[in-house]
Amino acid sequence: MMEVCRSKNRLSVLVAVVLPMVGVCTLWIGGLWFSAQGMAIAAEADSPVDSAKLAVLPAEIVLDGPSATQQLIAERIASGLYVGEVVEGVQWSSSDEGVAKVVDGVVVPVGNGRATVTASVGQDKSTASVEVRQSETESPVTFRNHVQSVLSKAGCNTGACHGAEVGKNGFRLSLRGYNSDGDFAAITRQARGRRIAPDDPARSMMLTKPTGAIPHKGGVRFDVNSLEYKTIARWIAAGAMPPASNDPHMTRLEILPDKVTVKPSTPQRLVVRAHFSDGRVEDVTKLAKFSSSNESVATVDQQGRLTIAGFGEGFIGAWYLSQNVVATVTSPYKTEVAAEVYAQSARRNFIDDLVLTQLQRLNIPPSPRASDSEFLRRSFIDTIGTLPTADEARQFLADQTPDKRDRLIDQLLARPEFVDYWTYKWSDLFLVNSERLNAPAMWSYYRWIRTQVANNRPWDQIARDMITATGSTLENGAANFFILHGDATVLAETTSQAFLGMSINCAKCHNHPLEKWTNDQYYGMANLFSRVRVKAAAGDGNSTVFVADQGELLLPRTGKPELPRPLDSEALPFDSPMDRREFLADWLTSPENPYFARAITNRVWANFLGVGLVEAVDDLRLTNPASNEALLNAAAEYLIKNKYDLKVLMRAILQSETYQRSSQTLPGNLVDRRYYSRYYPRRMMAEVMLDGISQISGTPTDFRRQSGDAINRQADPNKLPKYPESFRAIQLPDSNVLSYFLKSFGRAQRLLTCECERSDEPSMVQVLHLANGETINDKLAAPNSKITKILASKQTDAEIIEDAYLSVFSRMPTDEERLALSEQLAQAKPEDRREVLEDLYWSLLSSKEFLLNR
């Protein structure tokens, strides 16, 4: 129960009322994490591996050439899951050591033929097949596939070394080896050819420097007995052949095991294999670069050995020759949860099935259902960005019909505020901003987006219309997309970020280090926009967007244009008369596109659940998998099946028991921040919070548009263009609005297509503004405020208190709260009554219960 302050200087209760808000936020952000660590580490139990069987990975092995080898893993399998490597007591044998034998867990070729390798642990046995081919002939070492992988593994072509923009000490390589032709020339033609010595490979600087035989500022990178040394020596000895167009290319990268469920201290190695177009499969574990997405769960060294550090789920990425592959590591929490908890949990749709399946796998219990008041307030905020009024709350809480939540969901999806809120959300995404567009063009762009939301246009149609827009920017608001992003490369990057949820920016200069996108693919994608042109037209802010019949974007590395093609599609011929953007739209919105539906599904999910299935929501990449891949795939398929109708997806989320869970934690799910065992409390969006304060206080906000030039920024705010008094924050078309509150609470500036623009981090500026700033205090003190109306009414103290709690929290006050506040109001002198009422509302509006959506 919070104490009501009688003083206009509300700093006197700052510690008692407002700082607990920040303290709880901080605890929520940080403290729960540390509590989780303590709980997780303290718990102890054994994984059910007693009945596990043995398996050998990989199960099928082909060795090409006398130098080919394959690391073996003896893995336990229980209930269809890999549950950890067997290290102690493993005996390896070969059915024919004339074909292959096993040395220290590595199978090596002896002669052509087939054999079976057996792993034995006590009475338990498992086998793998081995085929040896061309044992008398060394497989060729190619510059593109082998030398480049050594340079990448050793770090020679990283940004900190020779891969820097200007190289190091006169030696420059392409970053992570994306330009094999250029790197070959730098190694073999520069420095007077001293970097290689074909007649005596051991004297080559390519070997003497990284082994420390001669001084090297980069230090020792590998030794003379290493695979790296032998690979480069063999390439030099064979004539240092250049990369050729017919070199075998890697078709697939594989990691084994790709999913493993283990407990801390359980040993586990990973094996990485590269499949090539000529049929060869190579063990490239020693040349792959490993990384962990969640080191609180698992870390990995550069030999592929895992250390299980904690509980939860993490992902281990392996990079080789510009391709990435990911293994999932699950370490179940040691909470004891009866199977009946999951079996008896309420399920409304596929969302609940998939969430509960994962919670059971991780031993995380689900929280119970949220109360009606929690669900009411939460669904209003998440769906329409508006708080329920006291009357709406009172009516919903009094309703005893079993389908009232479903009826509320349908009502919210049909309300005009839904259009306001989602137009605002998509205006953030599409950067509606008068700093970069003239006011008439900005309004045209905003109205186009609003029309799409109001008409419930399917998301695929919105995307198609935007990226193929032509004509006047005042008549076709979508055409402003091309005014904001005038360059073909920027258009490619923004299209990928907005509609695919992925950043391809890194591939502009080199192959993407965290994705499969290459420098060539980047420029192929950008070339789809190379013929878009813009010319001035009559009217303020008016331009005409059209498509020329020629024009290509050149790839700087080659000086030639790349065939125009979407990231994962066939190319369009240079001479095709088709608008290249139509070709892009066909690929982008195709149900077979694996990125488009997932990206928008993830954005919608994050709006309602607070945390994206992929986090951050615009960072969908192979090396950043979803916390529940099965759920994201199923939800995306559901959206596709329903023809990209976002309201259908929203309804499924809102109706799910997953969404309707309480935010109250249980001892076993306190640590959960990714798996949806509960609803995650979070601060209201800045605009929603400001509108809520305005609605509750009964005093609208005065919004004024900032001018785009620096001189007018210094002008009297009262002389700036003013929006109608009825405008709420979520109805603003433009982010370029003068508002200290919105700025302090982290609104998006709409300069970048990135969720990172919006912030919900607590700060002392926010605390002080809530305590003694203008927003709450001035609105409550305004002549036409809610307080004035209360004073003029005949409401009893009990009715005033009830109305306040329903307005602010969407719940009835507790008996303790009623009693304490009734005493405060009863003791107030008539001349002090307004001040006491203002303090009552201020104390509620500055509390964590108001500020947090929970």
Side-chain angles (χ1 to χ4, degrees), residues 65 126 156 165 182 212 223 496 550 595 602 609 634 686 707 743 748 821:
S126 183
C156 305
E165 187 174 359
D223 62 49
S496 299
Q550 58 184 350
Y595 317 109
N602 192 51
L609 276 299
S707 181
K743 179 180 179 181
L821 291 173

Side-chain angles (χ1 to χ4, degrees), residues 499-788:
F499 294 113
L500 302 177
M502 61 175 66
S503 172
I504 63 170
N505 304 30
C506 289
K508 183 176 183 179
C509 300
H510 49 77
N511 292 347
H512 202 302
L514 300 175
E515 261 292 4
K516 64 181 182 180
W517 312 125
T518 66
N519 188 230
D520 293 346
Q521 285 177 303
Y522 175 96
Y523 278 92
M525 178 78 167
N527 210 18
L528 292 162
F529 294 103
S530 63
R531 296 182 177 180
V532 178
R533 302 287 185 269
V534 177
K535 65 181 179 181
D540 184 18
N542 194 17
S543 301
T544 299
V545 175
F546 66 100
V547 177
D549 57 5
Q550 58 184 350
E552 305 294 348
L553 180 67
L554 302 183
L555 173 59
R557 190 181 82 249
T558 64
K560 299 177 182 179
E562 279 292 307
L563 279 168
R565 63 166 177 163
L567 293 173
D568 257 356
S569 174
E570 298 298 321
L572 191 67
F574 286 124
D575 58 357
S576 171
M578 182 181 187
D579 183 347
R580 294 175 177 181
R581 300 173 306 159
E582 291 283 355
F583 187 67
L584 170 61
D586 290 343
W587 170 80
L588 186 74
T589 62
S590 168
E592 282 72 45
N593 186 324
Y595 317 109
F596 179 72
R598 282 168 56 95
I600 187 57
T601 297
N602 192 51
R603 288 188 191 277
V604 171
W605 180 273
N607 174 83
F608 287 97
L609 276 299
V611 179
L613 287 160
V614 175
E615 191 63 29
V617 298
D618 41 23
D619 190 23
L620 275 70
R621 51 183 162 84
L622 179 65
T623 51
N624 184 34
S627 60
N628 191 328
E629 278 288 327
L631 175 56
L632 180 55
N633 289 333
E637 286 297 324
Y638 183 78
L639 181 64
I640 294 170
K641 179 181 177 181
N642 287 281
K643 302 185 184 303
Y644 298 96
D645 185 335
L646 296 185
K647 281 190 177 182
V648 175
L649 175 62
M650 292 175 188
R651 183 179 289 105
I653 293 172
L654 286 161
Q655 289 179 338
S656 70
E657 293 295 328
T658 299
Y659 178 79
Q660 295 188 27
R661 287 198 184 105
S662 171
S663 62
Q664 295 299 311
T665 61
L666 301 174
N669 69 12
L670 183 66
V671 296
D672 174 24
R673 295 287 304 141
R674 298 273 338 250
Y675 309 114
Y676 312 104
S677 63
R678 55 191 173 88
Y679 186 86
Y680 306 126
R682 62 193 189 276
R683 203 201 68 206
M684 281 190 284
M685 196 170 88
E687 295 83 351
V688 174
M689 188 190 303
L690 180 56
D691 284 345
I693 294 170
S694 298
Q695 175 180 306
I696 293 164
S697 67
T699 308
T701 303
D702 182 15
F703 291 114
R704 294 178 182 271
R705 184 168 60 83
Q706 295 182 130
S707 181
D709 61 270
I711 295 176
N712 285 331
R713 285 179 181 277
Q714 307 303 320
D716 181 354
N718 293 322
K719 296 181 181 179
L720 292 173
K722 184 178 180 180
Y723 285 95
E725 189 175 283
S726 61
F727 259 58
R728 296 178 300 140
I730 63 167
Q731 291 177 312
L732 293 169
D734 187 7
S735 64
N736 194 26
V737 173
L738 188 65
S739 173
Y740 181 79
F741 186 95
L742 295 180
K743 179 180 179 181
S744 300
F745 282 85
R747 71 175 172 193
Q749 295 299 307
R750 297 182 181 173
L751 300 176
L752 299 172
T753 305
C754 178
E755 284 293 317
C756 58
E757 276 209 328
R758 182 174 292 279
S759 172
D760 61 359
E761 291 294 320
S763 71
M764 188 54 65
V765 171
Q766 297 169 8
V767 172
L768 295 174
H769 186 70
L770 290 173
N772 257 39
E774 297 176 353
T775 303
I776 296 179
N777 292 333
D778 287 5
K779 286 180 180 296
L780 292 173
N784 296 321
S785 73
K786 176 72 172 287
I787 305 302
T788 303

